[in-house]
Amino acid sequence: MRRVTFEQAWQRWRDQREAELRSPEGFLAITGLHWLGPRPQRFHGIPGIWSNGPEGAVVDLGDGEWLELGGTRLSGRYVFGHVDPFGVIATFDSGTVEVADRFGTPVLRPRQPDGPFLRDYTGTPTYAPDPAWRIVADFTAYETSRPISVGSVVEGRSSVIDAVGEVAFEAAGRPQRLIAFDGGDNELWLLFTDESSGVTTYAACRQLAVEQPVDGKAVLDFNRAANMPCAYTIHATCPLPPATNHIDVLVEAGEKTPPRPPAD
């Protein structure tokens, strides 16, 4: 069996990451962010009149208007209800619309395969892969998960995320400690800033998926540090890391700040 080198494995990750970014269903295809309220509203390019009430998110589709959800064509009045943060995706003749919860309020995020952020995307620059940035950390799990309130790129909004423990390690000879969140799929999820943030990497933060720790050890491969959606589009609602999740050295690994052209 052919051995996959460190560089080859990293390149596979990069190729997959770029494919996700260029997907016509991905977050770069989002063309708007609309918050639903009690007053029925129509939004440009999305079928129906939308509102949020005791039943949750509701759409009233007029004559000739339709949405398709899970293989079923919707018409007339449809109650999406109290959707969760992962939301649902409905399709229509010229695109899709995501109906999801953000900070306790339902939102609509339409996607178009020719949206300006996706259309003008030219790729994400990265640091060259360096095995020195693949660091083994000590993981200390909390006895029970701890809900932690974190800020958001949306002014005045915050999120509560379940922290499951902490990772401790050395970077450039300096001790570091980060709070780790539940990333699902038996992974940890790190949100962090470092001394490169706002210089060569995206200012708000980067993220890192970490495989499930084994015997109290977690492998932090900062070569796979990735940008959050808010690095690419104004239609994102990304959480921010806790203030303590700052690495006080230059983490010259992973994705750099991408070019982000203005939306039309």
Side-chain angles (χ1 to χ4, degrees):
M1 183 179 294
R2 182 182 176 187
R3 179 176 176 269
V4 177
T5 68
F6 169 80
E7 289 79 9
Q8 288 171 331
W10 178 85
Q11 189 59 57
R12 287 182 183 178
W13 172 77
R14 282 298 308 143
D15 292 343
Q16 181 181 2
R17 173 80 172 145
E18 282 294 326
E20 292 171 353
L21 288 167
R22 295 178 187 277
S23 168
E25 289 85 35
F27 59 76
L28 275 170
I30 295 172
T31 57
L33 174 62
H34 309 296
W35 302 81
L36 300 187
R39 180 172 65 87
Q41 286 184 276
R42 184 176 288 277
F43 301 100
H44 176 71
I46 307 174
I49 298 173
W50 296 79
S51 61
N52 175 37
E55 297 175 289
V58 176
V59 63
D60 286 288
L61 297 160
D63 292 342
E65 292 185 318
W66 58 271
L67 292 168
E68 188 172 293
L69 181 66
T72 300
R73 181 165 288 207
L74 311 178
S75 60
R77 185 174 188 269
Y78 182 78
V79 178
F80 283 87
H82 300 284
V83 290
D84 61 27
F86 296 100
V88 296
I89 300 289
T91 62
F92 52 98
D93 54 356
S94 60
T96 63
V97 61
E98 173 191 9
V99 188
D101 178 274
R102 290 296 182 271
F103 317 111
T105 300
V107 299
L108 302 182
R109 295 203 297 185
R111 287 170 165 82
Q112 299 288 345
D114 60 350
F117 291 108
L118 179 57
R119 181 193 64 214
D120 297 334
Y121 177 65
T122 58
T124 299
T126 69
Y127 286 100
D130 182 353
W133 282 108
R134 190 175 186 273
I135 298 171
V136 177
D138 293 317
F139 174 66
T140 302
Y142 298 146
E143 289 187 9
T144 59
S145 61
R146 301 178 184 178
I148 293 182
S149 180
V150 298
S152 163
V153 295
V154 180
E155 186 175 356
R157 303 276 187 166
S158 61
S159 300
V160 176
I161 311 177
D162 283 337
V164 294
E166 298 178 9
V167 290
F169 57 98
E170 283 195 359
R174 296 178 63 87
Q176 313 291 335
R177 182 175 288 270
L178 303 176
I179 294 171
F181 298 103
D182 181 1
D185 296 326
N186 291 319
E187 288 186 335
L188 304 179
W189 183 41
L190 302 181
L191 292 173
F192 70 94
T193 56
D194 65 88
E195 292 300 296
S196 75
S197 302
V199 183
T200 57
T201 64
Y202 184 56
C205 68
R206 289 187 289 169
Q207 60 181 329
L208 183 64
V210 179
E211 290 185 0
Q212 182 73 19
V214 176
D215 296 330
K217 300 293 183 181
V219 178
L220 314 184
D221 190 350
F222 287 101
N223 295 285
R224 302 190 183 197
N227 291 315
M228 298 286 282
C230 50
Y232 298 91
T233 174
I234 60 174
H235 304 309
T237 59
C238 301
L240 298 174
T244 55
N245 273 26
H246 179 75
I247 301 171
D248 62 358
V249 300
L250 288 164
V251 179
E252 295 178 310
E255 292 184 343
K256 297 181 180 180
T257 306
R260 192 173 81 180
D264 290 350

